[in-house]
Amino acid sequence: MMRRVILVVLALLLAAPARAGEPQPFVQGSYAALVKEHAGRPLVVHFWSLTCAPCLADLPEWPKIKQRLGFDLVLVSTDSLERGPALAARLKRAGLDDIPSYAFADSFTERLMFEVARDWRGELPRTQLIAADGETTAVLGSVGEKALRDWLSRPPHTCGSPGCCSPRSDQR
């Protein structure tokens, strides 16, 4: 019964038209859907918040880095989706209003963080680097262009078992 209620609420959230430039709801299953949608291409999922000073300082750098290095970028605010207008305004000021963005839309935020990484307890900024082969590296704190360039230039994971032949894994 609870699963049915959650599915109905999720359907209503997804069906509701978002105001232009406002983040979409990040709910249970959103992270897996993003990874699947971008499979085969390098994907950077950056988690941030309006109350995180390093996050706000980093935001204006993302459009420049993305343009120079050419990876898929998705932004996820750990702020409530109810803060949508403030989130959209901050992203616009940073030149990120054309980048797919999401905000937490589940009051059980621990569940959302657990889906991203079992060991994540909400530290920000957090950036998930998902290689074209699906291997994931987590970066806590600011991530610079050099680190992203190094990550993009690493050879693909080849042994078939996540984390065993590469030092860049925090796969669950």
Side-chain angles (χ1 to χ4, degrees):
M1 177 67 176
M2 183 62 151
R3 182 178 210 100
R4 186 179 230 165
V5 170
I6 290 171
L7 289 174
V8 169
V9 169
L10 177 60
L12 290 173
L13 282 172
L14 294 176
R19 287 181 249 173
E22 287 193 24
Q24 298 299 306
F26 191 84
V27 295
Q28 188 174 8
S30 293
Y31 183 73
L34 286 171
V35 171
K36 184 177 180 181
E37 178 184 335
H38 295 267
R41 299 184 315 269
L43 171 64
V44 173
V45 182
H46 182 68
F47 292 87
W48 68 286
S49 172
L50 289 169
T51 59
C52 168
C55 300
L56 299 177
D58 290 346
L59 285 178
E61 298 305 313
W62 282 110
K64 301 170 206 167
I65 295 171
K66 180 186 182 315
Q67 183 177 14
R68 285 192 291 264
L69 300 182
F71 51 82
D72 292 353
L73 174 64
V74 174
L75 303 166
V76 181
S77 173
T78 59
D79 297 298
S80 169
L81 186 61
E82 295 169 356
R83 307 263 342 250
L87 295 167
R90 177 60 70 166
L91 292 174
K92 184 172 184 162
R93 275 196 306 270
L96 291 163
D97 48 332
D98 61 338
I99 301 295
S101 67
Y102 295 80
F104 277 19
D106 185 336
S107 60
F108 189 11
T109 59
E110 292 83 1
R111 174 178 35 219
L112 299 177
M113 291 183 289
F114 185 81
E115 285 188 14
V116 173
R118 292 181 180 186
D119 63 345
W120 186 26
R121 302 293 179 257
E123 308 87 354
L124 292 173
R126 180 185 181 98
T127 306
Q128 296 288 110
L129 307 175
I130 303 137
D133 64 4
E135 180 136 359
T136 301
T137 302
V139 177
L140 295 177
S142 296
V143 57
E145 184 170 347
K146 183 184 180 324
L148 287 166
R149 189 180 310 280
D150 291 348
W151 168 71
L152 287 166
S153 67
R154 287 184 181 160
H157 184 73
T158 58
C159 74
S161 178
C164 70
C165 68
S166 172
R168 52 176 209 152
S169 175
D170 95 339
Q171 292 278 353
R172 347 185 215 172

